[in-house]
Amino acid sequence: MRKCVLSLLTGVASITLAAAAASAADLPAREAPPPAPIIAAAPIFTWTGFYAGVNAGWGWRSDDRQTVILGGAAPGTLIFDNNNDGGFTGGAQIGYNYQIGSFVIGLETDIQWADTDQNVDVAFVPAGAPGTFVPGTFDNNLSDWFGTVRARVGVAFDRVLIYATGGLAYADDNTGWVAGGGVEWALPVNWFGSSAVTFGIEGLWLGFDDDDDFGGTVGTFTPGGGGAAIPVIAPDMGNDDNDFFVARAKLNFKFGTY
C-alpha cells in the first residue's frame, strides 16, 4: 500500500514539473535594457587659425607746430599751426593666430584708407611795419592711405581675447612704427563657411619717420604803408614727425581649427 502511494506522489510531481517547464517556455524572453545614449562633447573653442575681415573707425593726425624765421624782402616769422583734425578710416585685414594654453600669438597685416589729409594753416608775423598777409592754398601732402604689419600677443579667456600689438607702418613714401592693443569676442555664429566670427575694438598709435616737406612761396605780404605785394618764401622745412591715432571696430571671419 505504501509503495502505491509513493508511486502516485512521484507521478504527480513529475507531471507538475513538466507543466511548469512548458509554461516557462511559453513566456516571452526579457529584453535587455537599451544602451545609454552617447552624447558628443561640445568642441572646445580655440583662437588658432587664419582669419580675414574688415574694419572702420576714426583717425586723428598730429603734426608738430613749426616756426620759421625769414629774412630777405619780407622779413618776419612764419608759423605753421598744428594739424590735429580727424577723419574716417576704413579697410581690411588678414592674419593668423596660434593658441598655446591661454596665450595667443599671431601676425596681422592691414591696408587702410584715411580721410585725414588736411590743409596746413600758416600765419606770418612781419619783423617791421604791419601789413596784410594772404596765405596761399597748399596741402600738407600727407598720404591718404597707410598699411601695417604687426605681431600680436594676448591672453584668451575662452571666447574673449585681450592682446597687445606692434610692428611696421608704411605709406606711399613714409615708413614708421605702430603700437596698440585691443579686445576681441568670438560670437556664437558661423557665417560664410567660417568656424567662428569675431568682433573686436582696437586702438593703434602710428608714428611715421618723416612728413612730406614743403617749401617755396606760401603767401604774399603787402606792407601797411602801401606798395606791391611781396612773395613770402619758405625754405625747405626739413623732416618732421607725423603721428596718427586710430580707434576702430573690426569684424573677422575665422577659418580652420574650431
Side-chain angles (χ1 to χ4, degrees):
M1 185 68 177
R2 182 179 298 175
K3 291 182 178 180
C4 292
V5 173
L6 290 175
S7 298
L8 180 61
L9 291 175
T10 301
V12 171
S14 299
I15 295 173
T16 301
L17 291 174
S23 298
D26 293 337
L27 292 176
R30 176 180 293 182
E31 296 181 358
I38 299 175
I39 301 176
I44 299 176
F45 179 80
T46 176
W47 288 89
T48 297
F50 288 97
Y51 63 89
V54 295
N55 68 78
W58 197 259
W60 296 265
R61 287 191 190 273
S62 176
D63 283 337
D64 298 334
R65 180 186 179 98
Q66 299 185 55
T67 60
V68 181
I69 307 299
L70 299 180
T77 303
L78 276 175
I79 302 173
F80 295 90
D81 203 1
N82 291 336
N83 176 23
N84 297 326
D85 294 331
F88 173 81
T89 68
Q93 65 277 342
I94 187 171
Y96 180 80
N97 288 322
Y98 185 73
Q99 184 168 350
I100 307 171
S102 296
F103 295 97
V104 178
I105 58 176
L107 184 67
E108 179 175 297
T109 182
D110 62 358
I111 190 73
Q112 303 292 127
W113 177 73
D115 183 22
T116 59
D117 189 11
Q118 306 294 334
N119 290 335
V120 175
D121 295 327
V122 61
F124 177 67
V125 180
T132 302
F133 174 68
V134 179
T137 300
F138 57 98
D139 193 82
N140 60 11
N141 294 322
L142 296 171
S143 175
D144 57 3
W145 68 271
F146 68 90
T148 70
V149 178
R150 295 172 285 108
R152 304 204 317 168
V153 179
V155 178
F157 301 91
D158 191 22
R159 288 177 173 265
V160 177
L161 173 64
I162 300 174
Y163 64 90
T165 183
L168 171 70
Y170 61 92
D172 53 358
D173 57 357
N174 279 319
T175 59
W177 53 266
V178 56
V183 58
E184 281 190 68
W185 297 267
L187 308 178
V189 293
N190 299 46
W191 297 340
F192 307 111
S194 63
S195 60
V197 177
T198 69
F199 173 78
I201 298 174
E202 185 176 70
L204 297 177
W205 188 268
L206 301 96
F208 291 98
D209 291 340
D210 48 59
D211 198 352
D212 284 341
D213 307 320
F214 49 82
T217 302
V218 295
T220 60
F221 176 72
T222 303
I230 304 171
V232 178
I233 301 174
D236 190 335
M237 298 293 294
N239 293 338
D240 64 310
D241 292 336
N242 174 31
D243 295 331
F244 188 43
F245 179 76
V246 178
R248 63 189 184 182
K250 304 169 66 177
L251 184 68
N252 286 320
F253 300 91
K254 175 181 172 295
F255 301 93
T257 304
Y258 186 83

